[in-house]
Amino acid sequence: MAYILDLETGRPKYMDAFLERLLVPGDGSFRFAGLRRRLSPSDVAILNGHLKTLHNLPPGEMADAVISVPQADDRICWLHLRSRLLARPGETRARQIIGAAVEVTADYAPALIKDLERRIIHAEEAERRRIGRELHDSTIQHLVALDMLLGSLEARPEGGDRAIVKEMRETLSSVQNEMRTFAYLLHPPSIEEQGLEQTLRRFAQGFSRRTGLAIELDVRLNGAFLPFDTEVALFRIAQEALMNVHRHAHAQTVNVELTTLPTEVSLTITDDGRGMNSAQLALAMKGGGVGIASMRSRITSLGGALRLDSNGRGVCVSVTAPRRSRRA
C-alpha cells in the first residue's frame, strides 16, 4: 500500500485507499496529528523515531518501522512501514516522504520488530564509531595544533601575561583529556569482533589509563551465551556508569562485576566516591542528570531491572537481565 506524505502539512499527496481506511476511522482524512492521537505512546515514539531516522539517512536510503494501529472493531492492525525522503530536483531539503506499508499478522510482527531493533542497534553502534573517529581524527587534532601554537607563544621572550597563558594551558589540557575520553567512549573495541568479556576488559584498561581511575574487573560469564542486544546494553550501561563515576563521584577505585546465574546475568558497578543521599538517589532514579534514565531504559527494554544504592560513601549500580531477552 503506497503513500506519499507532505512533511510541511502532514497530509498525503497520495495514499492507497485501503491504507487510509486502516489509518483513519470513519470518513475522515489522514493527518499525522490525528494518527498520533490514535496510537499508543510506545507507537508514537516508534513513529517519531522513524521520522527522525529518515532525516538522518543519506539520500535514497530506506528506513523501516513497525507500528500497531487500533481499529474501530477493536482489532489491532500491524503495519510494516518502509519509507525514504523524496526531494525534487534542485531542492536543498526533502519536503515529502514516499513509502509503502504492508499489513502483517500479529504472529509475524514480533519477529519483524526484533529484526528491526537489531538493525537499529547495529546502526547506533556504527554511528557512535563514526563520531568517535571524527573526534579523534579532526577535533582532537585541532586541539593538538592549538597546543603547539600555545607552546610557541610561551617560548617568546615578550610573551603575553604569563598567568593567562598558564590558565589557557591548563584549560586546554583538561579539554584534550575530556575529548580523548569521549572519543574512546564512542569508539571502543567492537563487541561483535571480540565479545562482551574481552571488550569490557579492554575498555576498562583504556578508561583507567585515560582517567586515572583504578578499575577492578571481575568477569565470570563461564562461557554463557548472551543475545547481542543484551551484550550491547550491558556494555553501554557499564560505560555510562564509569563515566558518571569519573565526572561526579570523586572516586579513586571502581569495582565492576559481571556474572551469570542460571536464568539471568548481573552487572554491578561500585565506587568509593562521595556517595549520594536519599534525595539525590530519588532524583537520579527519576532520570535527573546522571544518565540513570538512559541505563534503566536500555535494561528494562530487555525485561531486566536497575537498582541504585549508596551507603553515604560510594554508589552501587546493580543491573540484572534475563539470559535471553524477552525479544529473543
Side-chain angles (χ1 to χ4, degrees):
M1 298 175 286
Y3 52 86
I4 301 175
L5 302 175
D6 188 288
L7 287 170
E8 294 183 345
T9 65
R11 295 181 181 274
K13 292 289 187 179
Y14 168 80
M15 180 172 287
D16 181 275
F18 185 73
L19 175 61
E20 189 161 16
R21 286 198 297 272
L22 292 175
L23 297 178
V24 181
D27 298 324
S29 58
F30 175 87
R31 291 199 68 171
F32 271 128
L35 177 61
R36 287 191 176 97
R37 286 194 292 269
R38 296 188 63 203
L39 298 179
S40 68
S42 60
D43 282 298
V44 170
I46 291 171
L47 184 61
N48 291 340
H50 182 58
L51 296 174
K52 182 178 179 180
T53 299
L54 285 173
H55 284 285
N56 293 329
L57 284 177
E61 289 199 13
M62 310 286 287
D64 294 82
V66 176
I67 60 172
S68 59
V69 184
Q71 302 297 295
D73 58 2
D74 295 330
R75 182 175 63 90
I76 296 295
C77 169
W78 291 87
L79 292 175
H80 175 200
L81 309 176
R82 173 163 288 183
S83 317
R84 70 176 177 87
L85 293 180
L86 179 64
R88 295 173 180 172
E91 285 185 337
T92 58
R93 66 184 183 90
R95 299 178 183 274
Q96 297 176 340
I97 295 173
I98 184 172
V102 178
E103 185 177 8
V104 298
T105 65
D107 292 337
Y108 179 67
L112 182 59
I113 292 171
K114 178 187 172 185
D115 178 65
L116 295 179
E117 288 173 337
R118 183 179 181 87
R119 287 159 60 184
I120 289 170
I121 290 172
H122 280 277
E124 288 177 345
E125 294 301 301
E127 181 66 6
R128 281 175 174 264
R129 289 194 290 270
R130 184 191 68 78
I131 296 173
R133 286 194 298 268
E134 288 290 329
L135 286 175
H136 180 272
D137 296 340
S138 179
T139 308
I140 292 177
Q141 299 311 312
H142 288 311
L143 291 174
V144 170
L146 181 59
D147 185 58
M148 295 172 65
L149 291 172
L150 191 57
S152 66
L153 179 62
E154 288 176 314
R156 293 180 180 179
E158 72 282 4
D161 191 310
R162 295 294 177 182
I164 294 177
V165 172
K166 181 181 178 182
E167 185 177 352
M168 290 172 62
R169 167 72 66 188
E170 292 173 351
T171 301
L172 178 60
S173 177
S174 176
V175 171
Q176 286 176 312
N177 289 335
E178 284 294 312
M179 291 299 292
R180 289 191 177 100
T181 300
F182 283 131
Y184 191 70
L185 278 169
L186 290 165
H187 187 28
S190 172
I191 293 178
E192 291 179 281
E193 296 173 2
Q194 302 176 13
L196 176 58
E197 180 173 352
Q198 186 63 21
T199 301
L200 190 56
R201 289 189 184 281
R202 290 192 59 188
F203 176 78
Q205 292 170 359
F207 194 77
S208 177
R209 186 169 61 251
R210 286 166 173 80
T211 62
L213 274 173
I215 301 177
E216 299 179 4
L217 185 64
D218 182 12
V219 180
R220 286 169 285 157
L221 293 179
N222 302 317
F225 169 80
L226 297 176
F228 177 74
D229 53 357
T230 302
E231 289 191 332
V232 171
L234 291 172
F235 179 65
R236 291 301 181 192
I237 289 170
Q239 278 189 305
E240 182 70 37
L242 288 172
M243 193 63 187
N244 284 341
V245 172
H246 168 57
R247 299 185 68 182
H248 303 289
H250 302 285
Q252 302 295 318
T253 303
V254 185
N255 293 292
V256 180
E257 296 183 8
L258 179 63
T259 59
T260 56
L261 301 171
T263 60
E264 65 182 20
V265 58
S266 171
L267 172 67
T268 305
I269 301 101
T270 308
D271 68 75
D272 64 355
R274 61 185 182 182
M276 301 172 72
N277 58 38
S278 57
Q280 290 171 323
L281 284 172
L283 177 63
M285 288 304 292
K286 291 179 180 178
V290 291
I292 299 300
S294 172
M295 292 190 278
R296 183 170 53 193
S297 175
R298 281 185 179 275
I299 207 65
T300 55
S301 70
L302 302 174
L306 178 144
R307 180 174 176 177
L308 198 63
D309 295 294
S310 179
N311 58 7
R313 187 173 187 274
V315 173
C316 178
V317 178
S318 302
V319 168
T320 57
R323 286 273 293 268
R324 289 188 176 275
S325 72
R326 63 188 181 193
R327 295 196 297 256

